[in-house]
Amino acid sequence: MIRVLVVDDSAVVRQVITKELSKFSDIEVVGTAMDPFIARDKIALLRPDVITLDIEMPRMDGLSFLEKLMEHFPLPVVIVSSLAPENSENAVRALAMGAIEIVAKPGSQFSAPNVEMELIQAVRTASHAKVSKRKPRAATTGRTEKSAASGLETTNKVIAIGASTGGTRAIEDVLMGFPADSPGTVIVQHMPVGFTASFAQRLNQCCRVEVREAVDGDVVVTGVALIAPGNKHMLLKRSGAQYSVIVKNGPAVHFQRPSVDVLFESVARSAGSNALGIILTGMGKDGARGLMSMRQAGARTIAQDEESCVVYGMSREAIEIGSAEQILPLGRIAQSIFGKEKADF
């Protein structure tokens, strides 16, 4: 049984979330709180397994509460947020501070039709996550200098990265080790529509490569990382010596859109041995088969190891079926590509 504490200043939202979660026999809402001070007392009393947390609340905002929680009494936290631009930026900040998942707030004009199921899945996933005491990274105050050649040179190599739960911080860790002239990079991170642009902007502030949300037809070039937009698949396409991305609708794969498998399969077809595939932390099987296709096409493949994963699911599936040529802790992945232990791909 997953014990959940619902924290939101809106009584209506608390009722909606409680009603939806209570429909499932494996979830029990053990309490609700209208602000972080009440939540603090109920956490001590009720010992929940997972917290759902609003960002905008009275007396103390959700980010300040999350910071204190992760430093002193870490628990898996699901951020429940509207898609207003300021909220989406703060929700992405919350992931960097240790929150596990983001879902759109139910009952608002921004809600997706299947938001209730997304909430259920997020709570279940969060219950499997590893959390530990930590302080958030210092916020970046300005844009990291990019290479003058960034985005100007067509890439002849491609790096493809796939992640889900815990992936926002894992992707940041990996990309921060990339030099400004790194091969063009394509990324799928499972994230709701409306949040991927803020995620890309955050990464662009701290990484030497340029990071942006992909647009259909974007050329894959040296020093640029493209992130698939929420609720859209992204595929790699080759035309002559040039790679570009296709961003499109389509059925969900492994219940995901964007799907890591969709990206990796297209990279295997279009780039073959000129590619490198990296699968990171996340729940489920998405990406394992696609990484196998990349390896069979001659690409180098890497999976994040169990110890450094927030949720050891996607990389485990890839390792178990033999998709991964290397199994590495998060902190060694960039080094294995660009550092002293690098190997050409």
Side-chain angles (χ1 to χ4, degrees):
M1 182 71 71
I2 305 168
R3 295 165 53 82
V4 180
L5 176 68
V6 177
V7 185
D8 197 292
D9 65 319
S10 166
V12 172
V13 172
R14 293 197 302 273
Q15 290 171 359
V16 170
I17 292 176
T18 299
K19 178 182 176 182
E20 293 303 322
L21 293 178
S22 299
K23 291 178 181 178
F24 296 85
S25 60
D26 62 327
I27 299 174
E28 178 187 6
V29 177
V30 294
T32 65
M34 67 175 293
D35 66 41
F37 292 95
I38 298 173
R40 177 195 59 193
D41 295 338
K42 291 199 173 183
I43 288 169
L45 177 66
L46 301 171
R47 301 285 173 165
D49 301 311
V50 175
I51 298 172
T52 70
L53 179 64
D54 187 17
I55 291 175
E56 293 187 323
M57 289 183 295
R59 298 212 285 170
M60 180 189 292
D61 65 89
L63 289 179
S64 297
F65 176 62
L66 178 65
E67 179 179 0
K68 294 179 182 299
L69 185 69
M70 298 310 295
E71 184 176 355
H72 300 291
F73 196 86
L75 284 170
V77 173
V78 174
I79 297 297
V80 183
S81 173
S82 74
L83 299 186
E86 181 180 351
N87 283 350
S88 65
E89 292 172 12
N90 285 335
V92 171
R93 283 180 60 199
L95 291 175
M97 295 167 70
I100 300 300
E101 293 273 15
I102 304 173
V103 295
K105 181 167 285 192
S108 75
Q109 60 177 316
F110 301 105
S111 295
N114 60 340
V115 68
E116 287 82 7
M117 287 309 302
E118 291 175 358
L119 174 62
I120 304 305
Q121 186 57 47
V123 167
R124 286 173 173 159
T125 300
S127 71
H128 293 280
K130 292 185 293 188
V131 293
S132 57
K133 291 184 179 181
R134 64 181 181 186
K135 294 183 179 180
R137 294 173 177 145
T140 53
T141 57
R143 183 184 172 97
T144 302
E145 289 296 321
K146 314 296 181 186
S147 166
S150 176
L152 300 178
E153 181 182 345
T154 301
T155 191
N156 65 340
K157 303 284 188 180
V158 176
I159 298 174
I161 302 174
S164 187
T165 310
T168 54
R169 192 161 178 128
I171 289 169
E172 182 178 337
D173 281 344
V174 171
L175 287 188
M176 285 183 71
F178 279 30
D181 61 350
S182 65
T185 302
V186 286
I187 301 169
V188 163
Q189 163 67 46
H190 296 160
M191 186 176 282
V193 62
F195 295 98
T196 42
S198 294
F199 177 46
Q201 290 166 8
R202 175 182 172 81
L203 291 177
N204 196 48
Q205 295 295 318
C206 63
C207 298
R208 283 169 287 184
V209 294
E210 180 181 349
V211 186
R212 61 176 185 257
E213 187 181 56
V215 175
D216 185 45
D218 272 346
V219 178
V220 179
V221 292
T222 298
V224 175
L226 300 174
I227 296 179
N231 205 36
K232 299 282 187 179
H233 288 308
M234 183 170 71
L235 296 83
L236 185 72
K237 175 184 177 182
R238 182 169 186 168
S239 179
Q242 188 177 79
Y243 296 106
S244 61
V245 294
I246 300 169
V247 175
K248 67 174 189 176
N249 292 316
V253 177
H254 297 294
F255 307 102
Q256 302 293 340
R257 187 173 54 237
S259 161
V260 181
D261 264 338
V262 169
L263 175 63
F264 282 1
E265 292 285 357
S266 71
V267 172
R269 293 191 300 269
S270 297
S273 59
N274 286 327
L276 182 150
I278 304 169
I279 193 163
L280 300 173
T281 175
M283 180 70 78
K285 299 182 178 181
D286 191 26
R289 290 290 176 186
L291 196 70
M292 175 62 82
S293 294
M294 288 185 64
R295 186 171 189 182
Q296 291 173 341
R300 186 178 166 204
T301 58
I302 299 171
Q304 185 179 353
D305 73 348
E306 179 178 5
E307 183 62 28
S308 64
C309 282
V310 173
V311 175
Y312 186 52
M314 287 165 51
S315 61
R316 179 186 61 200
E317 292 290 338
I319 291 165
E320 287 182 351
I321 67 172
S323 300
E325 175 191 4
Q326 287 183 286
I327 303 165
L328 296 173
L330 186 62
R332 284 182 53 203
I333 291 175
Q335 183 184 21
S336 76
I337 305 168
F338 301 107
K340 292 181 180 179
E341 58 182 286
K342 70 179 179 181
D344 290 334
F345 70 93

